[in-house]
């Protein structure tokens, strides 16, 4: 099972999403609306995408996979566990101000090779006003012969 960071903001803007897409653990396709057109081309570069191609406000956004050991090291360093959430939940996310206060009180984590990139992502997300939680219901891709 893979772990990702799930983020939500009622009124996120296209600029919020563009900033998130530049953070560690993010790729452009994570903030782009799914397109059903079979002839559709792969995701363009971030600076070429129109606002209409980005996820609408209030949509839950998940990061790329984050190692369990990175999650554990961050939570141990902060002395706090982030909640686990799923796509249906809205109220159990950690509020951005609460988590940002914890992050600001531990600036040494920014340069920590184990959790530095996760710290940067969380600091950016909370600075933009996103609530956050861990999402553990993503399926980890396994080779076909390993079932």
């Amino acid at each position: 099972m893979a772990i990702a960071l799930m983020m939500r903001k009622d009124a996120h803007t296209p600029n919020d999403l563009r900033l998130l897409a530049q953070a560690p653990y993010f790729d452009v396709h994570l903030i782009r609306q799914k397109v059903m057109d079979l002839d559709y081309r792969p995701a363009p570069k971030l600076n070429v995408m129109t606002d209409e191609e980005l996820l609408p406000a209030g949509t839950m956004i998940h990061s790329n996979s984050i190692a369990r050991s990175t999650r554990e090291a961050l939570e141990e360093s902060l002395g706090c566990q982030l909640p686990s959430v799923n796509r249906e939940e809205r109220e159990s996310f950690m509020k951005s101000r609460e988590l940002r206060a914890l992050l600001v009180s531990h600036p040494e984590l920014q340069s920590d090779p184990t959790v530095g990139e996760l710290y940067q992502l969380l600091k950016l997300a909370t600075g933009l006003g996103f609530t956050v939680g861990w999402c553990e219901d993503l399926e980890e891709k396994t080779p076909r012969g390993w079932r």
Side-chain angles (χ1 to χ4, degrees), residues 3-145:
I3 299 171
L5 194 66
M6 186 74 78
M7 290 162 279
R8 185 176 182 282
K9 181 179 176 183
D10 284 331
H12 72 242
T13 66
N15 189 50
D16 291 341
L17 296 184
R18 286 187 170 92
L19 289 171
L20 274 180
Q22 296 174 51
Y25 296 107
F26 257 91
D27 291 319
V28 173
H29 74 275
L30 295 173
I31 60 163
R32 189 176 197 205
Q33 292 190 53
K34 302 278 186 265
V35 178
M36 298 301 169
D37 183 359
L38 297 177
D39 293 335
Y40 199 71
R41 308 256 184 282
K45 295 188 188 259
L46 185 60
N47 58 358
V48 180
M49 289 178 65
T50 65
D51 291 357
E52 291 74 31
E53 292 179 82
L54 302 175
L55 293 171
T59 306
M60 290 191 214
I61 300 160
H62 68 80
S63 70
N64 284 329
S65 295
I66 295 169
R68 188 173 302 275
S69 58
T70 301
R71 169 191 174 167
E72 291 167 357
L74 178 80
E75 290 181 332
E76 185 178 325
S77 299
L78 291 178
C80 174
Q81 289 188 329
L82 275 64
S84 291
V85 298
N86 60 43
R87 290 190 179 275
E88 291 75 40
E89 293 174 307
R90 293 178 178 255
E91 301 305 318
S92 60
F93 284 69
M94 182 178 271
K95 302 289 184 248
S96 58
R97 285 186 181 184
E98 181 183 349
L99 180 54
R100 187 152 179 88
L102 283 169
L103 295 170
V104 169
S105 66
H106 292 84
E108 71 281 0
L109 295 179
Q110 188 158 352
S111 59
D112 185 315
T114 307
V115 298
E117 289 189 340
L118 179 55
Y119 178 93
Q120 290 172 36
L121 171 58
L122 286 169
K123 193 167 179 194
L124 175 62
T126 57
L128 293 170
F130 284 87
T131 56
V132 298
W134 295 113
C135 179
E136 298 186 16
D137 62 353
L138 300 175
E139 290 181 24
E140 196 166 17
K141 303 220 185 311
T142 56
R144 290 183 183 226

